[in-house]
Amino acid sequence: MLTTAIIREKRDYIIERLRIKGFDATALTGIILNSDVERRNLMTLSESLQAEINRTSKQIGAMMKEGNKAEAAELKEATRIKKEEIKRLEASLSEATAVMNEALLKLPNIPDETVPPGKGPDENLLVREWGEIPSLPDNARPHWELIKDYGIIDFDLGVKITGAGFPLYRGKGASLQRALISFFIAEGIKAGYEEVIPPVLVNEASAFGTGQLPDKDGMMYGTKTDNLYLIPTAEVPLTNIYRDTILNEGDLPVKLVSYTPCFRREAGSWGSDVRGLNRLHQFDKVEIVQITSPGLSYQALEEMAGHTGRLIEKLGLPYRVMLLCGGDMSFTSAKTYDFEVYSAAQQKWLEVSSVSNFESFQSNRLKCRYRKEGSRETSLAHTLNGSALALPRIVAALLENNQRDGEIIIPEPLVPYTGFTTLKPGKE
RNA sequence: GGAGAAAUGGCAGAGUGGUCGAAUGCGGCGGUCUUGAAAACCGUUGUCCGGGAGACUGGACCGGGGGUUCGAAUCCCUCUUUCUCCGCCA
């Protein structure tokens, strides 16, 4: 959510920049500015009435002490009338506030200067490519066949127990999963992130704070009786740690790393995109989050992108980094890098991480502020997050790219965590 | 799940209808003293919103929401959370 202050100051700039997200902000910003003026007028009126009432109340108190009841009664009547007036003013005020907030919630974040224009994925900018696309043997197979042959991930059992999109990992498949999580967490800790295990169910206030509510409740699983939501990403509980919080500048940057399962309802199935591990309702992800001062957030974005890239490199998977164009960015993001690994058998680039700077868009909602060193003033902090990494597509690429004749090679950095160096077909 | 108690500033903890944004202590910050530090002493120390170039000024906030009253931290209703006891339980 943008602040009204910035809309007041830079309306034209906002309208111009939001064009590259394909969004016309003229009407919304107009509504916001109008109701903002209206609000402040109403506030001034009702507060000055309240000030009069407060003064009068003290007078009445003094009169009662002196036993001057007749005069007190007169003042009481005057107060009664003012109170009615205040009630009317406040009704208009809350209406104006509702109009303003509704408009504010519909306004997306402003893309950073470096974000290219564009409508969709085709216009994203390739910023880096790493690794060689492996040439696989003729009998190479996509991961959804490999997992069956190797007996490591069972979709049918997931269907039996829960439903489609909830795979069951077993044997070395389960160990591999756990090894990846441990590896990613350990690397995060090495890079200075604090490990957190948060709740995976969150309340409405948290879902609102990071922007899943009110609009995107369709993406989350909810527990009707308790009004809780299963998290679609660790970003939700992690960033909400700092909801309604004032940090000291010296405590910044806050750097967190966290493994959680993630739950997404998503829409339906889109053909071959959803095969195997490509798109799931429940998946594992290690997430990194940073909270920084505004001056340092883009430096932090690059640092996080660097961290994510190094993880993929250590696993030896070819990948590319895309700078998302305006039209492909999320509502809340100011700048996003997507990381895609190449899954050699299905011959597809798979998104395994999305690293974003939200600037103060989330922190304004969350009321996450910080106090500058030696100052009493508070300002909104900047929030960032990224996956480091989402597991299923990493596993897909790893299985496909590393298949050899009759075995799949585990990348070396992972071996200390798996305890084995290869996967073999059949039940082990 | 049942019964009872409680929720006040960074923390501890007073305050049961008026001058209370709130005593006091601790902590924090600034100063005096000191070669330096400690101790002692003095001062200062919440957040949000509005108005103002600013000095400053108005309003709101004592777990959340609502109510009574001229006036609420204080009374009433409701929700949430915490603690104690009982039950159940990895």
Side-chain angles (χ1 to χ4, degrees), chain A residues 43 62 70 83 94 102 115 141 165 191 197 202 205 212 219 225 247 258 265 280 335 344 349 373 396 400 419:
Chain A
M43 246 184 234
K83 276 183 78 173
S94 64
E102 200 190 323
V115 170
R141 325 183 57 188
I197 301 180
V202 296
Q212 278 71 30
M219 85 184 288
T225 42
L247 293 152
S258 182
R265 295 184 69 232
L280 301 170
K335 185 172 182 177
W349 292 98
E373 215 68 63
E400 291 184 12

Side-chain angles (χ1 to χ4, degrees), chain A residues 71 76 116 118 181 199 225 241 243 249 270 343 360 370 373 411 423:
Chain A
E71 219 175 320
K76 281 188 195 180
I181 293 165
T225 42
I241 295 172
R243 170 154 47 89
E249 191 172 22
W270 291 292
S343 203
S360 60
Y370 77 103
E373 215 68 63
L423 297 167

Side-chain angles (χ1 to χ4, degrees), chain A residues 334-374:
Chain A
K335 185 172 182 177
T336 298
Y337 291 116
D338 269 9
F339 285 73
E340 302 176 342
V341 299
Y342 193 74
S343 203
Q346 49 180 328
Q347 300 184 356
K348 270 201 174 105
W349 292 98
L350 303 177
E351 183 190 330
V352 291
S353 174
S354 189
V355 184
S356 302
N357 187 358
F358 304 104
E359 298 195 7
S360 60
F361 195 82
Q362 271 185 338
S363 56
N364 185 35
R365 268 187 181 218
L366 289 161
K367 301 215 177 60
C368 170
R369 292 154 299 180
Y370 77 103
R371 200 187 309 274
K372 285 196 188 90
E373 215 68 63

Side-chain angles (χ1 to χ4, degrees), chain A residues 209-249:
Chain A
T210 31
Q212 278 71 30
L213 292 180
D215 275 353
K216 283 173 263 173
D217 53 331
M219 85 184 288
M220 290 187 293
Y221 288 96
T223 60
K224 293 174 210 97
T225 42
D226 299 291
N227 265 321
L228 298 174
Y229 296 89
L230 282 100
I231 56 171
T233 160
E235 166 198 347
V236 180
L238 291 183
T239 312
N240 271 285
I241 295 172
Y242 296 95
R243 170 154 47 89
D244 293 319
T245 298
I246 299 174
L247 293 152
N248 291 317
E249 191 172 22

Side-chain angles (χ1 to χ4, degrees), chain A residues 16 19 35 83 121 149 153 159 178 190 218 253 263-264 317 327 353 355 387 401 425:
Chain A
E16 183 211 311
R19 288 228 170 87
S35 38
K83 276 183 78 173
D149 297 350
I153 302 176
V159 168
R178 185 166 45 81
K190 266 192 237 166
F263 304 88
R264 297 193 182 173
L317 297 172
S353 174
V355 184
S387 349
N401 297 14

